[in-house]
Amino acid sequence: MDGQREWWKEGVVYQIYPQSFKDSDGDGVGDIPGIVEKLDYLDYLGVDAVWLNPVYDSPLADNGYDVRDYRAILDEYGTMADWETLRDGLHDRDIRLIMDLVVNHTSDEHEWFRKSRRLEDPYTDYYVWRDGDSDEPPNNWESLFDGPAWTYDDEREAWYLHLFDPKQPDLDWTNPAVREDVYEMMRWWLDRDVDGFRMDVINLLAKRDGLPDGTDDAAPVTGWEHFVSAPPIHEYIQEMHEEVLSRYDVMTVGEALDVSIEDARRFIVEDGLDMVFTFDHMYLDEAGSRFTVAEWELADLKEVTAKWQTGLSEGWNSLYLGNHDQPRMVSRFGDDAEYRRESTKLLATYLFTLKGTPFVYQGDELGMTNARFETIDDYRDVATIRAVELALETGHIDQFDAVRNAVNYWTRDNARTPMQWSDDPNAGFTVGEPWIKVNEDYPDVNVERQRGDPDSVLEYYRQLVALRHEQPVLKYGNYVPILEEHAEVMAYLRRHDEQANRALAVLNFFDGRPVVELPSGVEYDDADLVCTNYDVADPDPRELDLRPYEARVYLLD
Ligand code: GLC
């Protein structure tokens, strides 16, 4: 067994992107009362916790990851009383509420920044400011949203650092007053019965002393090696743990870009986080820019799966295949046309049968797919728009049309199209004009249509959630890969060290029909097929003649 048993090791987390979940008042933007309307849906899914993307007051330059006031709810989303209704409604259904903690940066409209740029104490040093000539930034770091990571502020006549958009100035974590203010804000929410935090870009908080120029040519952006897991990041997280987290019974998951196993282990075992979100599997189809896409390879997916499943033995993995920043999982790792249903179920089976805590992104439980955006005006994501505009400006691309497919593939807007509730206009998301276009496949892919249909993706997810709850071996069993060299099929056992029972997952990741022979030495006699995405006439796992994207999960005694 892995350390202590914890609810979050045994449960499933469902991620809600509030702007796109359900609009209750017809303004075209999802809101908290909209989520409240759907509480019974969450209960029916059977999930144990909801991770709510930011709902704080914000000018929405980066859809809420630019917080203007940490202690207020954005008007368009509702009021604090609405938030309390949501929290209580979740708790009444035994669903925990995980809030998003965005403390690498604030909005430039946050009071701290407004005062800081006017040199008003005590906020003068709340952000990473550097003096200097207005035409020469303090170093060569680049923003993760393209372009330089520095903007010259005419009011203060100094440069400020922003690892993301210019409207997201980075807080200066070397300043103890900043850290204390952040901790106080965290306590404020925890005292309001929040059950944990998903921590935005948590391994970017520390910037290397002296802010040296970046030199690593292979880095995704210049400066990376000086702000990704840079010292003294572990000290900051330990302090946060001591000052805040250790005093409450909460779940934490930190978004950790480009994290190594050793750093992940430190964040968890030494610094006190419960999990981190890792990215190795999100880089498999990367080809170095937003304007290119590489084919991902099953061998690589197997490698990164085994790396984390066996490498983080002292910690605990988070499991995810999509979120609000990523393409839709079925469009990326499955077939979103002919085998949309089968391949979504296959991917879900992978997600739910690994060791760790599965995170389900809203709409993935329906098999929602990437949308198609025809013009730049269709995009809403600041990262997409900024990248395309800068690339056009600098001549990196001549015209949008030439890169449309790649941009369409990567844009974060794919994950942000409205949740598809029914075949009513706008997928039942709003009676108004939606803030972002609705995916055209909604008449076919929606909750109303799938609920109660035993063959639907949605009912399959419910089955997986239940299976996970019922089977201790799926929670705590160790991961043992088999068929490691197979080009189309991924397979593994889950096994408790001290108990005899095991689980076996066999996953055909492609549209071929491989015949698979399982290794000898494992007892398959009493194999019980507990989950599959096809009708199976002969459940004997020793004779596997797999169909496109077929997934099978067995329990072995
Ligand atoms: C994280 C969020 C993303 C946001 C960025 C800056 O990666 O998931 O949506 O744009 O941080 O806050």
Side-chain angles (χ1 to χ4, degrees):
M1 207 75 83
D2 271 60
Q4 258 177 302
R5 297 182 65 141
E6 304 278 1
W7 71 263
W8 47 266
K9 292 183 177 170
E10 312 206 343
V12 174
V13 183
Y14 186 79
Q15 182 189 347
I16 292 186
Y17 197 68
Q19 207 160 6
S20 304
F21 194 62
K22 179 70 176 82
D23 173 23
S24 72
D25 58 6
D27 66 357
V29 178
D31 48 42
I32 294 177
I35 306 174
V36 171
E37 279 175 30
K38 298 297 180 186
L39 282 169
D40 286 333
Y41 175 71
L42 301 173
D43 197 30
Y44 147 89
L45 267 179
V47 296
D48 301 87
V50 161
W51 152 25
L52 192 60
N53 283 101
V55 288
Y56 315 104
D57 178 42
S58 161
L60 297 186
D62 185 20
N63 287 4
Y65 284 95
D66 47 323
V67 180
R68 185 164 47 202
D69 182 349
Y70 287 110
R71 291 175 172 80
I73 301 291
L74 177 69
D75 277 348
E76 276 115 306
Y77 291 168
T79 60
M80 195 54 84
D82 293 328
W83 177 84
E84 284 164 7
T85 306
L86 171 62
R87 176 201 57 196
D88 295 347
L90 288 167
H91 286 170
D92 287 347
R93 289 164 181 81
D94 279 331
I95 302 174
R96 270 122 162 150
L97 176 57
I98 309 298
M99 297 291 278
D100 217 307
L101 181 76
V102 190
V103 293
N104 175 66
H105 44 265
T106 68
S107 162
D108 64 342
E109 297 181 27
H110 193 288
E111 189 195 354
W112 297 342
F113 190 77
R114 286 190 283 116
K115 293 191 166 161
S116 193
R117 64 159 37 137
R118 289 200 300 261
L119 290 162
E120 252 181 65
D121 274 336
Y123 300 106
T124 312
D125 298 326
Y126 261 46
Y127 295 83
V128 185
W129 290 102
R130 289 294 178 270
D131 291 330
D133 246 353
S134 64
D135 49 15
E136 201 182 329
N139 70 20
N140 65 358
W141 294 4
E142 288 171 337
S143 150
L144 275 72
F145 287 173
D146 298 78
W150 295 92
T151 289
Y152 189 77
D153 183 51
D154 289 328
E155 201 170 330
R156 176 156 163 166
E157 299 184 341
W159 292 90
Y160 67 89
L161 178 74
H162 52 87
L163 294 182
F164 295 90
D165 192 73
K167 283 190 69 63
Q168 295 168 294
D170 280 48
L171 285 163
D172 185 348
W173 272 73
T174 64
N175 182 345
V178 167
R179 305 205 297 274
E180 190 38 55
D181 256 339
V182 167
Y183 302 154
E184 203 179 298
M185 175 273 284
M186 292 171 73
R187 289 186 211 109
W188 191 88
W189 280 103
L190 292 169
D191 289 337
R192 278 161 183 73
D193 279 342
V194 160
D195 302 290
F197 292 116
R198 174 270 184 185
M199 303 169 151
D200 193 54
V201 292
I202 201 68
N203 65 333
L204 302 192
L205 304 186
K207 280 80 187 176
R208 195 179 304 282
D209 206 21
L211 313 183
D213 272 341
T215 49
D216 181 356
D217 290 344
V221 299
T222 309
W224 190 257
E225 69 275 27
H226 299 312
F227 56 73
V228 177
S229 300
I233 185 64
H234 294 289
E235 280 78 352
Y236 292 156
I237 306 301
Q238 278 164 27
E239 183 184 83
M240 180 189 279
H241 187 256
E242 219 170 277
E243 295 289 319
V244 186
L245 298 169
S246 62
R247 302 174 188 201
Y248 296 84
D249 176 19
V250 288
M251 181 204 105
T252 52
V253 52
E255 185 192 28
L257 303 182
D258 203 11
V259 74
S260 65
I261 295 231
E262 173 50 20
D263 265 322
R265 192 196 63 76
R266 285 184 72 182
F267 279 121
I268 297 171
V269 179
E270 292 171 25
D271 309 348
L273 297 186
D274 292 325
M275 292 173 269
V276 292
F277 284 128
T278 64
F279 282 79
D280 284 350
H281 62 309
M282 294 287 118
Y283 298 142
L284 297 179
D285 46 1
E286 274 240 340
S289 90
R290 293 174 211 274
F291 308 115
T292 45
V293 185
E295 283 275 318
W296 67 278
E297 302 282 338
L298 184 62
D300 296 336
L301 184 64
K302 287 185 179 186
E303 196 183 312
V304 299
T305 305
K307 169 180 162 187
W308 286 98
Q309 288 284 301
T310 55
L312 200 60
S313 52
E314 276 183 275
W316 189 259
N317 276 295
S318 69
L319 308 167
Y320 75 99
L321 282 170
N323 60 33
H324 63 292
D325 293 330
Q326 300 293 339
R328 281 286 176 185
M329 77 177 190
V330 65
S331 299
R332 188 173 198 182
F333 296 112
D335 171 349
D336 64 5
E338 190 177 351
Y339 294 109
R340 185 187 62 80
R341 190 191 292 213
E342 292 79 1
S343 62
T344 307
K345 292 179 183 176
L346 175 276
L347 293 168
T349 315
Y350 166 78
L351 192 66
F352 277 78
T353 54
L354 293 174
K355 186 175 180 182
T357 300
F359 287 73
V360 175
Y361 181 62
Q362 72 181 40
D364 278 354
E365 79 278 20
L366 307 174
M368 279 181 65
T369 60
N370 277 358
R372 174 123 197 121
F373 301 93
E374 292 302 333
T375 70
I376 301 184
D377 296 339
D378 284 341
Y379 294 116
R380 296 289 175 269
D381 171 28
V382 63
T384 308
I385 296 167
R386 198 168 138 96
V388 171
E389 283 177 357
L390 271 174
L392 285 169
E393 235 171 78
T394 55
H396 179 69
I397 57 172
D398 314 332
Q399 40 166 326
F400 170 64
D401 284 346
V403 291
R404 185 200 322 250
N405 285 343
V407 178
N408 264 327
Y409 180 89
W410 286 117
T411 180
R412 306 192 299 177
D413 285 331
N414 280 314
R416 301 175 181 186
T417 63
M419 176 73 180
Q420 294 166 194
W421 295 105
S422 67
D423 61 8
D424 290 344
N426 298 321
F429 161 71
T430 179
V431 293
E433 186 61 41
W435 71 277
I436 185 172
K437 74 175 249 185
V438 177
N439 191 320
E440 280 155 18
D441 65 10
Y442 78 86
D444 194 33
V445 181
N446 65 64
V447 173
E448 200 172 83
R449 185 158 178 168
Q450 295 192 22
R451 197 165 168 161
D453 169 0
D455 290 333
S456 69
V457 173
L458 179 57
E459 292 298 338
Y460 191 81
Y461 263 84
R462 284 186 71 220
Q463 202 187 326
L464 284 170
V465 174
L467 190 66
R468 178 107 195 166
H469 287 153
E470 283 157 20
Q471 299 298 337
V473 71
L474 287 181
K475 299 171 198 163
Y476 293 107
N478 288 327
Y479 172 87
V480 183
I482 56 177
L483 303 180
E484 283 166 280
E485 302 304 317
H486 202 290
E488 294 156 82
V489 176
M490 179 153 174
Y492 42 88
L493 293 164
R494 297 285 310 282
R495 191 166 66 194
H496 281 309
D497 288 338
E498 63 275 23
Q499 283 168 37
N501 83 316
R502 289 151 305 160
L504 164 70
V506 183
L507 309 169
N508 176 17
F509 264 85
F510 299 98
D511 60 2
R513 297 183 135 262
V515 177
V516 171
E517 222 178 286
L518 293 175
S520 54
V522 180
E523 283 297 329
Y524 303 106
D525 291 348
D526 287 320
D528 185 10
L529 181 60
V530 288
C531 186
T532 176
N533 55 353
Y534 275 91
D535 286 331
V536 172
D538 176 7
D540 190 334
R542 282 167 300 199
E543 296 164 23
L544 286 170
D545 193 349
L546 297 170
R547 288 155 287 185
Y549 298 98
E550 184 160 353
R552 295 193 190 186
V553 184
Y554 290 92
L555 292 179
L556 312 175
D557 269 335

